[in-house]
Amino acid sequence: MKKIETSDLEIRKALHAKYLRRANSRPNTLIIDELGLVHAKSRIDIAVINGHIHGYEIKSEKDNLDRLDIQISTYTKSLQKITFVASKKHLEDIVSVVPEWCGLILAERGIRGGINFSVLRTATINPLVDPFMMAHLLWRDEVVDLLKQAGYSAKDLRQPRKQLYEILCRVMTPKELTASIRSFMVQRRTWRDR
């Protein structure tokens, strides 16, 4: 009997149902599928936002690793924690290129056909995260709101978006920035359309 390769969708469903179930039940946690990073130039498969912004990137047996180097570069700048959820087929290649602080979870098909997870390495805080790149998760009007609260004038707030991100990173700690990102994302209604 031919082995059925794992797919991104079935690993994602199992990850939500089994591994992220507890996080999903917490009222202060937001879980988003396909979160766009750096103004949607890249996407992380699943983002868990609570005290940190933790991205989960899935590499199933049906996937390839063609974009892995670009993904690692973008994720390293934008996410506070990163975990790769990979099939055995890709595990060795992923381990050879991802930083030591990235988490690793093996996703395998069990004998009954479901997906089982084995945590090989728990993610730790990304020492290279760039608050400026994290700030890109906020829309311009959200950044303006935060800077108004910090006492900036309407004239200061007419600057290009990138300058506003720079100002925001000077007035907020990464922890405050993370809390603001979570707060605004919870409030968004049609944010996938923008």
Side-chain angles (χ1 to χ4, degrees):
M1 190 159 113
K2 187 180 175 185
K3 182 185 171 205
I4 300 170
E5 290 187 325
T6 57
S7 71
D8 179 288
L9 182 61
E10 67 182 329
I11 291 175
R12 182 188 306 261
K13 284 181 178 178
L15 200 61
H16 277 290
K18 296 177 181 180
Y19 191 78
L20 299 174
R21 184 178 64 223
R22 191 172 24 195
N24 204 18
S25 68
R26 294 183 181 138
N28 65 336
T29 300
L30 179 64
I31 299 178
I32 301 170
D33 283 293
E34 298 293 330
L35 177 64
L37 304 171
V38 194
H39 298 290
K41 288 183 181 154
S42 184
R43 291 189 182 278
I44 188 77
D45 287 318
I46 301 172
V48 177
I49 305 170
N50 47 32
H52 296 97
I53 301 172
H54 189 156
Y56 291 82
E57 179 61 27
I58 298 167
K59 295 298 181 190
S60 74
E61 290 172 318
K62 290 184 179 180
D63 289 325
N64 63 55
L65 302 181
D66 294 347
R67 298 178 300 128
L68 185 61
D69 289 338
I70 293 168
Q71 289 173 318
I72 291 170
S73 175
T74 303
Y75 301 164
T76 298
K77 294 173 191 165
S78 307
L79 300 167
Q80 295 166 310
K81 288 185 175 183
I82 305 164
T83 296
F84 286 86
V85 182
S87 64
K88 194 170 191 173
K89 171 183 175 179
H90 297 303
L91 194 61
E92 191 175 313
D93 290 330
I94 290 172
V95 169
S96 71
V97 296
V98 301
E100 285 290 318
W101 46 263
C102 287
L104 295 168
I105 297 175
L106 176 63
E108 294 183 290
R109 187 174 305 286
I111 56 173
R112 293 187 179 145
I115 302 296
N116 296 325
F117 299 106
S118 302
V119 177
L120 305 178
R121 187 166 74 200
T122 302
T124 58
I125 296 295
N126 170 4
L128 305 172
V129 69
D130 182 351
F132 174 75
M133 298 308 285
M134 274 179 43
H136 282 68
L137 290 169
L138 293 167
W139 293 340
R140 180 189 174 84
D141 57 340
E142 295 166 345
V143 175
V144 167
D145 285 350
L146 291 169
L147 291 175
K148 277 182 188 174
Q149 292 171 27
Y152 282 82
S153 69
K155 180 183 174 189
D156 294 327
L157 302 176
R158 286 193 286 261
Q159 295 183 50
R161 182 173 56 191
K162 287 187 177 183
Q163 275 81 5
L164 295 177
Y165 290 146
E166 288 171 358
I167 295 168
L168 187 65
C169 290
R170 287 195 300 265
V171 300
M172 293 185 97
T173 66
K175 185 175 182 176
E176 292 168 332
L177 183 58
T178 302
S180 295
I181 289 167
R182 187 203 158 282
S183 177
F184 278 115
M185 285 188 172
V186 167
Q187 295 172 39
R188 293 177 186 173
R189 295 290 175 248
T190 58
W191 63 281
R192 286 240 183 248
D193 301 335
R194 287 179 71 167

